[in-house]
Amino acid sequence: MDKSELLKLAFDAQKRSYAPYSDFQVGAALLCKDGTVYQGCNIENASLGATNCAERTAIFKAVYDGKREFQAIAVVGKKNSETEFELCAPCGICRQVMAEFCDPGTFEIILGKNTEDYRVFTLEEILPLSFTGKDLAD
Ligand code: THU
């Protein structure tokens, strides 16, 4: 699975977004180390605080299915009213959820404007000095 294919799956997922409050529709495609892919979209809520981002939808689906080893995630998003996609960076909560399961030095976050125009960051780059389970160990 190359980065363009993963981005294509994120664009497909973006179409399932439920975002009646922000109108900002996000899709994600999470590549597991075993080669399987989990897609997610943002799912908003009238309370706003109960909204779930696309990245977390994909990660939680995968974890429920017993997957905990992840290689990369592609993320795309834009306002429904816009025609062009700009880079959509994961929010702080999603970065923290990634830190729970993903290796900071190798897990790749692929942010795409389209399947050919994208940027790649490691988790370490977008979440330096993270707080993880290691900090709670005896
Ligand atoms: N959102 C995501 O799903 N992922 C991101 O990386 C950034 C933000 C969603 C949450 C909310 O439904 C909408 O985008 C506006 O914040």
Side-chain angles (χ1 to χ4, degrees):
M1 167 83 43
D2 67 25
K3 292 180 173 58
S4 294
E5 288 173 309
L6 199 62
L7 279 162
K8 166 79 172 63
L9 293 172
F11 281 110
D12 289 345
Q14 192 253 358
K15 297 189 185 106
R16 301 205 177 179
S17 162
Y18 174 73
Y21 305 106
S22 73
D23 202 35
F24 194 83
Q25 303 180 326
V26 186
L30 175 70
L31 178 62
C32 303
K33 285 191 179 167
D34 67 5
T36 54
V37 174
Y38 284 82
Q39 292 164 286
C41 64
N42 57 329
I43 302 168
E44 295 190 343
N45 186 276
S47 76
L48 303 182
T51 292
N52 207 61
C53 289
E55 298 91 321
R56 277 178 286 140
T57 301
I59 293 167
F60 294 157
K61 280 171 66 183
V63 172
Y64 177 77
D65 270 357
K67 309 293 170 78
R68 292 184 186 173
E69 302 210 330
F70 307 123
Q71 196 171 314
I73 192 167
V75 184
V76 302
K78 71 169 180 63
K79 275 237 166 195
N80 194 31
S81 52
E82 300 289 332
T83 46
E84 304 290 319
F85 281 80
E86 295 299 331
L87 298 185
C88 174
C91 79
I93 297 173
C94 289
R95 295 175 198 208
Q96 184 66 30
V97 170
M98 290 173 197
E100 186 69 24
F101 298 103
C102 308
D103 180 72
T106 58
F107 183 72
E108 291 183 320
I109 295 103
I110 304 157
L111 308 180
K113 293 185 180 180
N114 56 58
T115 56
E116 308 304 323
D117 185 1
Y118 56 81
R119 290 190 61 189
V120 183
F121 302 88
T122 63
L123 181 56
E124 203 162 43
E125 287 174 315
I126 67 164
L127 188 67
L129 206 67
S130 60
F131 182 84
T132 69
K134 284 182 190 153
D135 295 296
L136 298 174
D138 290 331

